């Protein structure tokens, strides 16, 4: 990697991975308001404006790299277009008294308007979730070593869940039991033993493993080395190495780097417009409509035009933003496969 900050690769999922692909990254949360005030109307309007900003920032933070996010905040462009991006405002459990304003407020945004805003601002983004990736870690502390153990400071499950809650990365944590430690020992982790990595990958049914080796140097300084193993190529590639001076920032620092790495390698480039002409191989008319709806709902979608109408085999011209590989990956996440050999074809994955 060019940048030490982009130090980490693909990533992780707990047992929640099966549902993470269903998450709507453009969805927002309710904010509970309970404020002492003598002017409920004014307070309500002020809080709605604050929640608009917080909610939009929470979405943009998921899909923009740190670099783009800092640029956007510095330019303050998001607030300029804030009103035009709001789809609706939901207020529940509202209670107004002479001294208080209480309510649960949720701001919904229009996904297409957000994407248009980013394109207009010349900011690339990604809303592609990773597939489940297993994370193995070793920890060396003053001649005491831990591998797949709860004593390893990396395996603080609560912190991992909290930090990854709003990320595009799907993490898978090993069981940290004797059987896992038998499959891949501390020594095998630090030596990137291919046989052990393959066995543990097969056990957890993953194609990729992220290997995070943590070593305490002195006082609170940690050295963190990251490698990536692919079960498809049976190879380990060096990703990066960096030092950390505050152990309390271990998880947030690693996860921030992981998030940026993923986004940078899956950016939808708004400056690139691609075109494919494909036959849509559908089972029936309903399947054809479903496939086209899913294509049109992709954030990188630009246009679709029917060229030839044929029984269960329409030929469509599809325009989209960004690289073909990113488009194909987005389709796969929606259970649609695109194949470009001699001819391009699209179909639902059974």
């Amino acid at each position: 990697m060019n940048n030490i900050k982009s130090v980490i690769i693909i990533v992780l999922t707990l047992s929640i991975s099966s549902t993470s692909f269903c998450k709507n990254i453009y969805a927002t949360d309710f904010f509970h308001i309970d404020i002492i005030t003598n002017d409920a109307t004014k307070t309500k309007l002020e809080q709605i404006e604050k929640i608009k900003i917080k909610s939009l920032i929470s979405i943009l933070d998921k899909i923009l790299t740190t670099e783009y996010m800092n640029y956007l905040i510095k330019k303050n462009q998001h607030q300029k277009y804030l009103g035009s991006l709001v789809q609706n405002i939901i207020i529940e459990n509202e209670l107004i008294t002479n001294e208080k304003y209480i309510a649960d407020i949720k701001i919904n945004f229009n996904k297409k308007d957000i994407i248009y805003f980013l394109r207009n601002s010349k900011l690339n983004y990604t809303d592609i979730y990773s597939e489940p990736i297993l994370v193995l870690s070793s920890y060396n502390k003053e001649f005491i070593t831990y591998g797949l153990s709860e004593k390893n400071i990396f395996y603080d499950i609560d912190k991992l869940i909290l930090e990854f809650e709003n990320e595009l990365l799907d993490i898978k944590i090993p069981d940290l039991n004797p059987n896992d430690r038998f499959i891949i020992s501390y020594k095998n982790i630090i030596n990137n033993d291919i046989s052990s990595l393959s066995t543990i990958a097969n056990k957890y049914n993953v194609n990729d493993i992220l290997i995070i080796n943590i070593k305490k140097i002195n006082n609170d300084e940690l050295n963190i080395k990251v490698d990536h193993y692919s079960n498809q190529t049976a190879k380990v590639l060096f990703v990066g190495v960096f030092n950390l001076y505050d152990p309390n920032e271990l998880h947030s620092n690693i996860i921030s780097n992981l998030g940026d790495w993923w986004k940078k390698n899956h950016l939808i480039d708004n400056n690139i417009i691609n075109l494919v002409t494909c036959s849509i191989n559908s089972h029936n008319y309903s399947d054809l409509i479903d496939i086209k709806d899913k294509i049109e709902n992709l954030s990188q979608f630009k246009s679709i035009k029917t060229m030839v109408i044929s029984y269960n085999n329409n030929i469509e011209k599809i325009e989209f933003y960004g690289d073909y590989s990113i488009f194909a990956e987005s389709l796969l996440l929606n259970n649609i496969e695109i194949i470009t050999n001699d001819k391009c074809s699209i179909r639902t994955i059974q």
Side-chain angles (χ1 to χ4, degrees):
M1 292 289 163
N2 312 334
N3 186 325
I4 220 81
K5 281 289 247 185
S6 307
V7 83
I8 316 198
I9 292 209
I10 318 182
V11 188
L12 320 112
T13 155
L14 238 41
S15 6
I16 54 172
S17 65
S18 59
T19 60
S20 65
F21 293 108
C22 300
K23 292 188 295 184
N24 178 5
I25 198 165
Y26 298 94
T28 54
D29 298 320
F30 274 97
F31 284 81
H32 180 68
I33 306 300
D34 188 340
I35 296 180
I36 296 173
T37 178
N38 294 320
D39 189 340
T41 301
K42 181 181 177 182
T43 298
K44 176 180 178 177
L45 294 175
E46 288 175 347
Q47 291 304 310
I48 286 175
E49 289 306 308
K50 289 179 181 179
I51 294 170
K52 283 180 184 178
I53 296 172
K54 289 179 182 178
S55 298
L56 181 60
I57 289 293
S58 72
I59 294 172
L60 295 175
D61 200 40
K62 296 173 192 175
I63 63 179
L64 295 178
T65 63
T66 302
E67 178 185 358
Y68 283 139
M69 196 66 195
N70 288 341
Y71 172 84
L72 190 66
I73 292 174
K74 183 178 179 181
K75 294 290 184 180
N76 208 25
Q77 290 294 302
H78 60 292
Q79 293 198 48
K80 180 179 177 181
Y81 295 94
L82 190 60
S84 63
L85 302 177
V86 174
Q87 185 173 40
N88 56 51
I89 301 170
I90 300 173
I91 301 177
E92 295 182 354
N93 307 315
E94 187 173 51
L95 177 63
I96 299 174
T97 71
N98 292 331
E99 298 178 348
K100 270 195 172 188
Y101 177 73
I102 301 173
D104 294 315
I105 302 175
K106 176 182 172 72
I107 311 292
N108 290 319
F109 294 91
N110 187 296
K111 171 185 169 181
K112 290 184 178 179
D113 288 341
I114 290 177
I115 301 306
Y116 178 80
F117 159 67
L118 293 176
R119 290 201 178 113
N120 191 51
S121 302
K122 303 188 184 305
L123 295 173
N124 297 331
Y125 69 97
T126 185
D127 51 10
I128 299 174
Y129 283 100
S130 75
E131 292 187 3
I133 299 168
L134 186 67
V135 178
L136 304 180
S137 173
S138 71
Y139 178 43
N140 184 326
K141 174 188 177 182
E142 298 167 353
F143 305 107
I144 300 174
T145 58
Y146 299 108
L148 304 186
S149 165
E150 293 177 355
K151 294 181 179 179
N152 182 335
I153 60 171
F154 178 78
Y155 290 120
D156 187 325
I157 306 302
D158 290 337
K159 285 187 178 179
L160 286 172
I161 292 174
L162 181 64
E163 293 290 344
F164 272 97
E165 189 175 9
N166 290 319
E167 293 290 339
L168 294 172
L169 299 167
D170 199 11
I171 71 169
K172 194 160 199 163
I173 303 297
D175 294 334
L176 308 180
N177 58 27
N179 181 52
D180 280 354
R181 289 191 286 276
F182 174 77
I183 293 174
I184 186 161
S185 64
Y186 168 86
K187 183 177 179 181
N188 287 341
I189 292 174
I190 64 173
N191 289 331
N192 290 330
D193 182 77
I194 298 296
S195 176
S196 300
L197 290 168
S198 175
T199 303
I200 199 79
N202 292 334
K203 175 185 174 181
Y204 286 97
N205 193 29
V206 297
N207 289 319
D208 299 277
I209 296 176
L210 182 68
I211 306 158
I212 302 175
N213 293 307
I214 305 169
K215 184 176 182 180
K216 185 173 182 180
I217 300 175
N218 52 61
N219 298 323
D220 289 332
E221 185 177 0
L222 299 173
N223 177 263
I224 301 170
K225 177 177 176 286
V226 183
D227 294 307
H228 169 244
Y229 167 77
S230 168
N231 208 28
Q232 293 179 324
T233 63
K235 290 182 180 180
V236 175
L237 297 178
F238 171 74
V239 178
V241 60
F242 64 100
N243 285 0
L244 184 65
Y245 299 93
D246 184 354
N248 293 321
E249 296 178 358
L250 175 70
H251 297 90
S252 61
N253 190 283
I254 288 178
I255 290 164
S256 174
N257 281 291
L258 285 170
D260 258 12
W261 178 89
W262 179 261
K263 292 168 188 174
K264 287 178 180 179
N265 284 277
H266 293 82
L267 283 178
I268 296 167
D269 191 335
N270 291 317
N271 296 310
I272 297 174
I273 297 177
N274 261 309
L275 173 68
V276 291
T277 301
C278 298
S279 62
I280 297 185
N281 302 324
S282 55
H283 303 296
N284 48 50
Y285 181 71
S286 177
D287 185 36
L288 171 65
I289 296 303
D290 183 60
I291 291 172
K292 291 183 71 171
D293 283 347
K294 287 179 177 177
I295 292 173
E296 291 177 14
N297 196 47
L298 296 178
S299 66
Q300 61 262 58
F301 168 79
K302 188 175 190 296
S303 69
I304 185 167
K305 182 180 180 181
T306 302
M307 307 302 292
V308 177
I309 298 176
S310 179
Y311 181 69
N312 293 342
N313 195 25
N314 275 15
I315 295 178
E316 308 279 350
K317 183 180 286 186
I318 305 167
E319 278 188 303
F320 56 91
Y321 291 91
D323 294 335
Y324 169 83
S325 61
I326 303 297
F327 177 68
E329 192 168 352
S330 295
L331 289 176
L332 276 177
L333 290 174
N334 285 275
N335 294 319
I336 298 174
E337 182 179 39
I338 180 169
I339 301 171
T340 50
N341 295 327
D342 294 334
K343 295 181 179 180
C344 177
S345 63
I346 294 174
R347 65 178 183 178
T348 300
I349 300 173
Q350 298 299 316

